[in-house]
Amino acid sequence: LQQRVGVASARAKQASYLEDPQIAFQLSGVPVSHPTSFNQADTNSIGIRQMLPFFGKLGLKEKIAEQETKVADQELRAKEQEITSVVKMAYAALFMAQRSIEILREQLDIMKTIIGTTESRYRVGRVTQQDVFKAQLEQSELLNQLIVAEQDSNVATVNLNAAMYRPPRTPVDTPADLTLPDVASGASSLDELALANRPELRGAEEEITRTERMYELADRNRKYPDFMVGWDYMRMPTDMKKDRYGAMVNITIPFSPWTIGRRNYEVEESLAEIRAAKSNRDAIRNATLKQVGDSLSKVQAAKRSIQLYREGLLSQAELSFRSALAAYQTGRVEFVNLLEAQRALREARMGYYKATASYLQNVAELERAVGRELQ
């Protein structure tokens, strides 16, 4: 897309130039019996020809080419926003996968302790063998979840490196936690930002301007002629006055009965392109407002979830598990209660990081919809 912008820019610079001039050679009245005896010809001439469009047509062609450059530039801006959003979303997915791996490994360490405690209590007859099997089954389930999390981490790493145009196996480190951007703008202000900054929408506006210039050019082509001017130097070997010159002006007739229909259809085509460009702009506008509304709702929901986890769920799940573990070691609660507390702790920590990753991904989608960073 960067190269296409360069192509469109170079094309726009060409549009202000006239067509190449023509040099005309002409021999008239050369005797057939002496086809190379040019000094016996009636006229030998050399001249130059130049096409000249009617006033204003060349300027319109230049403006049309400039609008094409602006459209290409907005396509580039849109692709930059898309790549940025993809990178942020892939990074959030990788962050979630790596946190899941850490949590599951910690849970496996805890399960090893629980299994050791359960086996010790089973040997002295304080729990049934079923509790031992339950603990081992839970350990196997954690191992299976760990395999899935490692696979998710590998996939997220490949996706992130692909989005950044790097070798797919390039290692990527993530911090233990992420600073979450604060999206404080309301829906109305975000709508205004999106309508002003979304590259696709701005590109659609530039496309409308381009089609309007196309209509102006088509209308001028229908109404006004183009010209060809020329000047000739003529040499007449057989006349007394051998050196002469000639001048010419050719004028096109765009409104001739056998060509006016084509010109009318060109105008009709350009008007249809204007209507299509405006419809496309309206469709992009509606889609943009929808994306902003959807993404903002998801961002707000994820933010509330994060606050809920931070304000109580995480600490409550941690305290509940520690209490259940201590009570189980002293024989005051059943194994199933400890297992439920351990699962609740795992789900709380996983839920917190899922909400964090969801928040980051939805902010990335919101920024993509708005067309600029919100941090």
Side-chain angles (χ1 to χ4, degrees):
L1 284 174
Q2 288 175 343
Q3 298 306 319
R4 287 177 183 172
V5 171
V7 169
S9 178
R11 186 179 296 136
K13 294 173 183 177
Q14 302 169 31
S16 61
Y17 288 89
L18 295 171
E19 294 294 329
D20 294 337
Q22 302 174 18
I23 295 178
F25 296 95
Q26 186 172 349
L27 305 174
S28 300
V30 181
V32 176
S33 59
H34 299 86
T36 59
S37 298
F38 301 148
N39 59 347
Q40 297 181 28
D42 292 338
T43 304
N44 299 329
S45 67
I46 181 172
I48 187 168
R49 309 280 187 269
Q50 178 66 60
M51 285 294 301
L52 297 175
F54 192 85
F55 176 77
K57 290 185 179 180
L58 204 61
L60 281 172
K61 289 181 179 179
E62 183 178 10
K63 290 178 180 179
I64 291 170
E66 288 174 350
Q67 287 303 125
E68 290 175 353
T69 302
K70 292 178 181 179
V71 171
D73 186 64
Q74 292 304 321
E75 289 177 356
L76 173 60
R77 301 283 84 78
K79 180 57 69 173
E80 289 174 348
Q81 290 287 338
E82 178 186 343
I83 292 173
T84 301
S85 176
V86 169
V87 168
K88 289 182 177 181
M89 294 178 70
Y91 189 78
L94 177 60
F95 170 79
M96 176 62 207
Q98 292 190 353
R99 296 294 80 76
S100 296
I101 291 172
E102 291 180 2
I103 292 170
L104 291 170
R105 287 174 176 171
E106 290 175 3
Q107 291 285 300
L108 281 170
D109 291 339
I110 293 173
M111 279 307 304
K112 290 179 181 178
T113 302
I114 293 174
I115 290 172
T117 302
T118 304
E119 290 176 343
S120 298
R121 297 186 65 191
Y122 169 68
R123 284 193 293 268
V124 296
R126 297 180 62 184
V127 297
T128 65
Q129 191 177 24
Q130 185 179 10
D131 288 346
V132 177
F133 292 154
K134 285 181 179 180
Q136 293 173 344
L137 181 62
E138 184 70 13
Q139 184 184 44
S140 298
E141 177 62 24
L142 288 173
L143 286 171
N144 185 58
Q145 292 182 18
L146 179 60
I147 292 172
V148 174
E150 289 174 344
Q151 178 186 355
D152 291 342
S153 177
N154 292 333
V155 171
T157 299
V158 170
N159 291 338
L160 180 59
N161 285 321
M164 297 177 68
Y165 205 65
R166 302 193 305 187
R169 301 297 179 185
T170 303
V172 181
D173 293 328
T174 59
D177 206 348
L178 295 177
T179 302
L180 302 182
D182 185 20
V183 181
S185 300
S188 59
S189 59
L190 287 175
D191 287 345
E192 293 174 1
L193 280 175
L195 295 179
N197 295 283
R198 182 77 184 260
E200 291 91 339
L201 198 54
R202 296 172 68 179
E205 294 286 355
E206 299 292 356
E207 179 64 16
I208 291 174
T209 304
R210 187 191 73 84
T211 57
E212 290 172 344
R213 297 286 186 267
M214 290 289 291
Y215 165 74
E216 293 177 24
L217 180 60
D219 192 48
R220 279 183 174 269
N221 285 334
R222 177 176 60 173
K223 294 178 179 178
Y224 303 113
D226 295 328
F227 308 93
M228 176 181 281
V229 298
W231 184 90
D232 294 326
Y233 165 73
M234 294 179 287
R235 178 76 174 175
M236 298 182 173
T238 59
D239 284 2
M240 294 292 293
K241 296 180 179 180
K242 301 183 182 300
D243 298 319
R244 302 187 185 191
Y245 79 92
M248 52 84 65
V249 177
N250 291 347
I251 303 176
T252 62
I253 308 175
F255 38 79
S256 64
W258 53 89
T259 61
I260 187 63
R262 178 169 65 88
R263 296 299 184 184
N264 289 336
Y265 283 126
E266 286 177 356
V267 172
E268 184 178 333
E269 176 189 354
S270 62
L271 288 173
E273 287 188 355
I274 291 175
R275 292 192 294 269
K278 289 182 177 179
S279 296
N280 183 57
R281 184 269 315 274
D282 294 341
I284 294 175
R285 184 179 186 275
N286 291 337
T288 296
L289 295 177
K290 177 183 180 299
Q291 291 172 9
V292 170
D294 290 347
S295 298
L296 181 59
S297 297
K298 293 176 181 178
V299 166
Q300 292 171 342
K303 185 176 183 179
R304 289 194 296 269
S305 294
I306 292 171
Q307 290 174 344
L308 186 61
Y309 279 110
R310 287 177 173 176
E311 291 172 359
L313 280 179
L314 286 174
S315 58
Q316 290 169 5
E318 182 73 26
L319 289 173
S320 175
F321 171 72
R322 297 302 174 190
S323 174
L325 179 61
Y328 178 72
Q329 290 173 337
T330 57
R332 289 184 289 112
V333 298
E334 297 294 329
F335 176 75
V336 66
N337 299 113
L338 174 62
L339 197 58
E340 289 178 356
Q342 190 258 353
R343 287 174 179 172
L345 174 61
R346 181 171 75 250
E347 290 174 0
R349 295 185 65 188
M350 288 287 194
Y352 168 73
Y353 286 117
K354 283 181 180 178
T356 300
S358 176
Y359 181 83
L360 292 171
Q361 290 177 331
N362 289 319
V363 167
E365 289 183 348
L366 182 60
E367 291 176 339
R368 172 84 174 89
V370 171
R372 53 167 289 184
E373 287 195 345
L374 299 174
Q375 305 174 27

